[in-house]
Amino acid sequence: MASEKEVNVYLFEQLRIVEQAIKLARTENASKTLAYLEEEKRYIELKLYQKPPMAE
């Protein structure tokens, strides 16, 4: 099983990728893609910043 630190590293990497894709979707005016990516970003942030953290 992965440690909380490993999971956080994975989630931060996912967040970085989604944020890059959001920038691209904005430059291409891809509104449906942008809406999907914004939703995915919120989901990743919910997992990343959950209270209480996984360790507790």
Side-chain angles (χ1 to χ4, degrees):
M1 185 171 164
S3 70
E4 183 174 1
K5 183 176 180 179
E6 291 170 322
V7 171
N8 285 345
V9 168
Y10 174 72
L11 290 172
F12 274 118
E13 183 63 19
Q14 281 187 326
L15 191 57
R16 184 188 66 81
I17 292 167
V18 169
E19 287 175 343
Q20 288 178 331
I22 286 172
K23 288 179 188 177
L24 180 59
R26 283 190 179 129
T27 62
E28 296 182 350
N29 296 318
S31 59
K32 289 182 182 180
T33 303
L34 184 58
Y36 170 77
L37 291 168
E38 295 279 353
E39 185 177 328
E40 287 299 310
K41 180 180 176 183
R42 282 190 297 275
Y43 182 67
I44 294 167
E45 289 174 335
L46 280 174
K47 290 189 287 184
L48 189 58
Y49 303 118
Q50 68 183 349
K51 297 286 181 198
M54 289 172 34
E56 290 183 4

